[in-house]
Amino acid sequence: MLSCTGTIRFTLRSAVVAFWSSPGDLQRLELSDEAMGSTFTVVLYGHDRRQLETAADAAFDEVHRLDRLLSNYKPDSEWSEVNRTAGVRPVKLSAELFQLLSDCMAYSRQSDGAFDITVGPLMKVWGFYKGEGALPRPSEVTDALTRVGHRHVRLDAAARTIYFDRPGVELDPGGIGKGYAVDRMVEILKRTGVRIALVSASGSSIYGIGAPPGEPAGWRITIRAPDDPHASVTEVFLKDMSLSTSGSYEKFFWADGRTYTHIMDPRTGYPAQGTASVSVLGPRTIDSEAWAKPFFINGRAWTAAHKPSNVQAFMCDDERRQNACAWVQ
């Protein structure tokens, strides 16, 4: 068992590269690569070894292309150019990035602002950009909040441009990038003829294509307990479906006797409280990843009232009590 970072565990051999035959003469290929600050893993089944290797190479080429497009760490990425320039003048976008940012604006509106890619200034002031977190002064949070909010983003569909209505606004791809990359990898794999595969981004955003040998219901996934990495709280099967998880234990720090997580409420400027972890099932990984944050921030009651009909949510409250983890009805 290879236990991946995040809350999702699935059965793999502990090797960067593995290739062998399985029942029914199906071949299995497992490969991992680093991109977007994450470990991307693919597990593929098929009859043609060369086809599987070619498909995996194409999928990893795609995630590296997206890293060059969406990174807010690489100064030459299109995303970084937007952050540098859109507060000064409109920036012409590629069709791909314009569509992705348009989708992000829609998630922001639908989540009552809990999902917001303009959270960049808050991630920096809280020390989570290139760091493990640090307690800021209240005045620093107040100042950062003046530059946070999707209302500051102006997208012009006719001109395909983006403009910030004030300087200092910064977009952060952390709530959307891995899910989008997994979906693009899945599309590449399907296009190259792969019919059975699992794609994972650091174990926190994954997609299952078809069903592996011996598991007709799909890829068996266990969701870990938020307070014990060796215990599981539920199990799901992915068959042409995605699962993304956000947890307070992924990145956090202690200060003044309490825990501060990296999952930020962009409306208050402070880390979200009351939820330990959220796992979201959805038809696309971009959807499951994007909705995991608002569900985490807004809590169980809001999630029950507002979650889209095509997604399911499993939530663990930040309380040590029986039945603290359950599916949202």
Side-chain angles (χ1 to χ4, degrees), residues 44-46 48 50-60 184-197 209:
L44 313 178
Y45 283 95
D48 187 323
R50 182 168 296 179
Q51 178 198 17
L52 294 180
E53 292 174 334
T54 299
D57 287 344
F60 286 127
R184 289 294 303 138
M185 293 175 74
V186 166
E187 184 176 332
I188 295 293
L189 292 175
K190 289 180 176 179
R191 191 185 305 163
T192 52
V194 175
R195 297 293 176 261
I196 305 172
I209 304 173

Side-chain angles (χ1 to χ4, degrees), residues 55-170:
D57 287 344
F60 286 127
D61 286 345
E62 177 67 0
V63 77
H64 284 292
R65 181 190 72 83
L66 291 174
D67 197 10
R68 295 189 296 271
L69 174 72
L70 304 178
S71 175
N72 59 337
Y73 292 94
K74 299 179 185 296
D76 57 346
S77 73
E78 186 175 358
W79 194 284
S80 292
E81 171 63 17
V82 168
N83 280 342
R84 278 194 304 270
T85 310
V88 179
R89 59 174 174 79
V91 177
K92 183 78 170 183
L93 297 176
S94 63
E96 181 177 19
L97 186 55
F98 186 89
Q99 183 59 58
L100 181 59
L101 294 179
S102 297
D103 290 344
C104 289
M105 294 300 105
Y107 289 126
S108 293
R109 292 189 296 270
Q110 294 164 16
S111 67
D112 292 340
F115 176 92
D116 200 319
I117 57 169
T118 68
V119 76
L122 285 173
M123 300 304 288
K124 286 186 174 181
V125 80
W126 279 93
F128 287 117
Y129 177 78
K130 297 184 178 180
E132 295 302 316
L135 191 65
R137 294 189 298 271
S139 60
E140 293 177 308
V141 175
T142 300
D143 177 67
L145 275 175
T146 65
R147 291 169 279 123
V148 172
H150 64 280
R151 66 189 180 281
H152 298 308
V153 178
R154 303 284 188 265
L155 291 175
D156 185 328
R160 211 173 70 207
T161 59
I162 185 172
Y163 175 69
F164 302 150
D165 68 4
R166 65 183 57 199
V169 174
E170 290 187 45

Side-chain angles (χ1 to χ4, degrees), residues 261-277:
T261 179
H262 72 295
I263 302 174
M264 204 68 53
D265 187 336
R267 301 161 301 186
T268 67
Y270 285 82
Q273 300 181 52
T275 305
S277 68

Side-chain angles (χ1 to χ4, degrees), residues 210-246:
E215 294 279 13
W219 295 85
R220 184 190 302 266
I221 309 296
T222 59
I223 299 175
R224 57 156 281 192
D227 58 350
D228 184 352
H230 304 294
S232 62
V233 288
T234 194
E235 182 178 84
V236 299
F237 290 87
L238 297 185
K239 189 173 185 179
D240 302 316
M241 186 68 64
S242 76
L243 179 67
S244 295
T245 295
S246 289

Side-chain angles (χ1 to χ4, degrees), residues 301-323:
W302 186 95
T303 299
H306 295 87
K307 72 178 181 66
S309 59
N310 64 344
V311 304
Q312 300 177 59
F314 184 85
M315 301 184 68
C316 291
D317 298 328
D318 194 12
E319 299 177 9
R320 293 183 177 275
R321 60 176 176 80
Q322 189 176 10
N323 300 324

